[in-house]
Amino acid sequence: MVKIVALVGTNSENSTNRQLLQYMKAHFANQAELELLEINHLPLFDKPADKKVPEVVRQMALTIESADGVVISTPEYDHAIPAALLNALNWLSYGIYPFVDKPVMIIGASYGTLGSSRAQAHLRQVLDAPELKARIMPSSEFLLSHSLQAFDENNELIDQDMVAQLEGLFEDFLVFMQITSQLGHAHSVNQKLAESVSWENR
């Protein structure tokens, strides 16, 4: 079965983005194995004097590398992704490169009406950085607005149109992962290009 890492893009203890990923894990259980990955235990990024990545980050990178794809659910703070998510991506591009050519699906939930649309655009920009260089599923947005009212007591999405949209996008992502798996001819070169970007020159 396809293995997908579901990255919770916030360190908030009570997040509807985590809730959305939990819903997806249960809803798509017959199609893929989703493993929720938290970022709330990561230290604040600071280039280590010994240039060694913390073990907790290294283990996270190994989990991402072994997955067929990654789903990232992000809230929106001030038209951008949360500092905690950017912190995680900073660590995951410092001497380790698990996102290079990795298929990624971006989704998001927010309490307001926009459903994290600007944060998703920001995340696309970050994931396209030369040290990350993920393969982001194109022409896709899942924007769960008014997320505090979006789930019932069984953690099921109430709006059936949103369910249908998410199901369609997830089907597309399964196909996108299959296509991406055939596009690895330049992976070793892309990996070297990511490694050539030196943090020490920043």
Side-chain angles (χ1 to χ4, degrees):
M1 184 177 285
V2 174
K3 181 180 178 183
I4 298 173
V5 164
L7 190 65
V8 181
T10 175
N11 59 359
S12 173
E13 292 184 4
N14 299 305
S15 169
T16 53
N17 282 276
R18 181 182 295 104
Q19 194 173 0
L20 176 57
L21 291 174
Q22 290 169 340
Y23 166 79
M24 290 180 66
K25 179 177 181 177
H27 191 73
F28 298 117
N30 292 330
Q31 296 169 267
E33 176 188 345
L34 271 71
E35 177 183 357
L36 264 67
L37 204 59
E38 298 281 356
I39 61 173
N40 54 14
H41 58 298
L42 298 181
L44 186 64
F45 180 79
D46 187 14
K47 290 186 291 186
D50 58 6
K51 299 182 181 180
K52 290 184 179 180
V53 176
E55 183 61 25
V56 64
V57 177
R58 191 169 298 280
Q59 289 301 317
M60 179 177 290
L62 290 173
T63 301
I64 293 170
E65 284 176 351
S66 66
D68 298 296
V70 178
V71 177
I72 303 177
S73 189
T74 180
E76 181 174 316
Y77 300 153
D78 299 327
H79 293 184
I81 62 175
L85 178 54
L86 186 58
N87 180 66
L89 295 174
N90 287 163
W91 275 121
L92 292 167
S93 59
Y94 181 72
I96 49 177
Y97 309 98
F99 277 103
V100 172
D101 295 327
K102 184 69 65 177
V104 175
M105 175 182 178
I106 298 173
I107 61 174
S110 74
Y111 296 168
T113 59
L114 297 179
S116 80
S117 59
R118 294 184 181 92
Q120 291 191 38
H122 180 219
L123 182 54
R124 286 177 179 272
Q125 182 181 16
V126 173
L127 288 171
D128 197 42
E131 311 94 313
L132 288 159
K133 216 60 181 172
R135 294 190 185 272
I136 309 158
M137 187 167 72
S139 303
S140 64
E141 276 188 328
F142 183 74
L143 309 172
L144 185 63
S145 59
H146 304 293
S147 56
L148 286 174
Q149 295 82 38
F151 299 92
D152 65 17
E153 63 275 8
N154 297 314
N155 200 42
E156 296 285 343
L157 278 175
I158 297 170
D159 188 331
Q160 291 305 300
D161 288 337
M162 296 299 294
V163 172
Q165 182 188 6
L166 185 58
E167 287 175 343
L169 288 172
F170 192 76
E171 287 285 350
D172 287 348
F173 188 54
L174 294 176
V175 174
F176 182 68
M177 285 188 290
Q178 290 179 352
I179 295 172
T180 302
S181 68
Q182 302 174 44
L183 303 177
H185 299 90
H187 179 71
S188 59
V189 175
N190 292 338
Q191 188 85 17
K192 288 180 180 179
L193 288 172
E195 293 171 1
S196 70
V197 180
S198 175
W199 277 83
E200 306 311 314
N201 295 329
R202 298 184 180 190

